[in-house]
Amino acid sequence: MTLDDLRVYIAVCRTGSLSAVARDLACTQSAVSQHVKRLERETGARLLERHPRGVVPTPAGRILHAAASDGIAGLDLALRRIDELVRGEVGSVRVATGATTVRHIMADAVVTFRERYPNVSLEFQTESSSSRCYATLATNTIDLAWLTLGAPVRGIEQRPVIELPWVLAVRPEDPLADRSRIEAADLADIRHIRLPENSSSRAHLDAAFAELGVRISSEPSVADWDTAILLAELGLGHAVVPALPNQYIHGEASPLRFIPIPDLPRLSVGWAVRRWDDLTPLARNFADTVSLSCTRKL
């Protein structure tokens, strides 16, 4: 049993496909299969079973996957920490987040961090939902995930950073544009541009609508918050979106008005990690830099 065997096995469990792992590793499917067979010989147990859409771990396979994931994550972390000790402030920080976060929430923090650590690589991986961020964390391929926080997730630590209020994005000529606030009843009589269907922010918003007794008409859901804003600018409907730092800076020529909706509970966003105490010093420093930048803007 080798580290390569375990790494390949973890990748197969993550993707559910021998062929996908073979493509990623630029090798044959037979070579991937040999890694799994070697593990099965040494454990004396069948580790994978075939399904119409790929492979899934057996009960024995799940035990090995959990142990191997934790062990390799600890080894990778140790190697990265040793590298930082040997080479100084050199390394990488890997972050998973949504498409709009870097521009609207992390931009100032990224500049500050890069000025402080010019030899550190910041690597961003875009995910479409909080659940995808959690899944990516579980594979040990990233250090941190910035997302909309929700219910506790086993094996994940969540740390709230900011609470985002909701606003209604409308064109200046819209009858609602001169309001100082939007009431819940106002939301029932307009056409909504919806947030992504599987996103945590959409679930949060739908739950708030249901609790307030608001039934809304809607357009098809969109890719992200920025797309909802763009469609509102084009006059295709109204967008209920979080008021993000660096996003809603208005002047006389602003194409939209962003009106507070106090009846909607704020959206909690922040960091998720496997274990906060296991972060490398560089990853923790980047997380703290982003958190401090956000709290200064509120």
Side-chain angles (χ1 to χ4, degrees):
M1 182 183 301
T2 67
L3 283 176
D4 283 343
D5 292 337
L6 293 172
R7 290 183 188 279
V8 169
Y9 177 68
I10 290 170
V12 170
C13 290
R14 182 180 73 246
T15 62
S17 169
L18 297 171
S19 59
V21 173
R23 287 195 300 272
D24 290 343
L25 298 178
C27 65
T28 65
Q29 184 171 328
S30 176
V32 172
S33 181
Q34 287 302 313
H35 285 285
V36 176
K37 288 179 179 178
R38 187 155 46 237
L39 291 173
E40 289 181 327
R41 285 196 302 270
E42 295 201 26
T43 60
R46 187 181 179 192
L47 300 176
L48 296 174
E49 57 185 14
R50 294 191 176 275
H51 283 240
R53 295 188 177 181
V55 295
V56 297
T58 63
R62 289 194 293 271
I63 293 172
L64 180 62
H65 177 256
S69 296
D70 289 341
I72 288 180
L75 177 61
D76 286 344
L77 176 64
L79 292 174
R80 292 178 67 194
R81 284 181 167 175
I82 291 171
D83 187 56
E84 289 179 13
L85 285 173
V86 173
R87 300 170 61 198
E89 294 175 345
V90 176
S92 65
V93 178
R94 302 165 300 184
V95 182
T97 188
T100 63
T101 301
V102 175
R103 180 155 64 103
H104 296 304
I105 291 181
M106 295 186 182
D108 293 342
V110 167
V111 172
T112 299
F113 185 83
R114 288 301 304 275
E115 289 175 347
R116 190 177 302 161
Y117 302 105
N119 297 318
V120 175
S121 172
L122 286 174
E123 302 171 10
F124 293 96
Q125 180 172 325
T126 301
E127 297 293 352
S128 59
S129 66
S130 294
S131 60
R132 286 294 311 145
C133 286
Y134 291 132
T136 305
L137 275 173
T139 66
N140 303 307
T141 57
I142 60 167
D143 301 306
L144 301 152
W146 177 275
L147 40 72
T148 300
L149 301 177
V153 177
R154 185 176 181 180
I156 299 293
E157 295 182 10
Q158 300 185 36
R159 181 167 294 190
V161 176
I162 50 176
E163 302 284 327
L164 299 175
W166 293 90
V167 295
L168 182 70
V170 299
R171 290 169 61 88
E173 65 272 17
D174 190 280
L176 296 173
D178 293 330
R179 300 277 190 93
S180 61
R181 56 181 285 163
I182 297 295
E183 306 295 338
D186 298 325
L187 299 172
D189 300 323
I190 59 179
R191 176 179 292 178
H192 287 256
I193 300 166
R194 304 302 304 280
L195 299 179
E197 186 172 0
N198 295 322
S199 67
S200 298
S201 54
R202 165 74 172 267
H204 180 100
L205 194 56
D206 286 350
F209 284 153
E211 186 173 343
L212 293 169
V214 176
R215 299 186 64 181
I216 62 173
S217 60
S218 64
E219 293 295 306
S221 55
V222 298
D224 52 49
W225 298 340
D226 274 349
T227 306
I229 293 296
L230 176 59
L231 294 179
E233 288 182 8
L234 297 175
L236 299 183
H238 301 74
V240 178
V241 291
L244 298 173
N246 289 346
Q247 187 170 20
Y248 310 120
I249 302 173
H250 314 303
E252 292 299 322
S254 174
L256 290 174
R257 300 289 183 265
F258 297 94
I259 310 170
I261 314 174
D263 290 342
L264 295 180
R266 293 187 172 217
L267 193 68
S268 180
V269 298
W271 291 114
V273 300
R274 282 177 60 87
R275 275 177 47 87
W276 195 263
D277 290 342
D278 286 347
L279 287 177
T280 66
L282 289 174
R284 186 176 301 186
N285 191 288
F286 178 72
D288 290 342
T289 301
V290 172
S291 299
L292 181 61
S293 175
C294 288
T295 53
R296 283 175 173 171
K297 294 173 185 174
L298 296 180

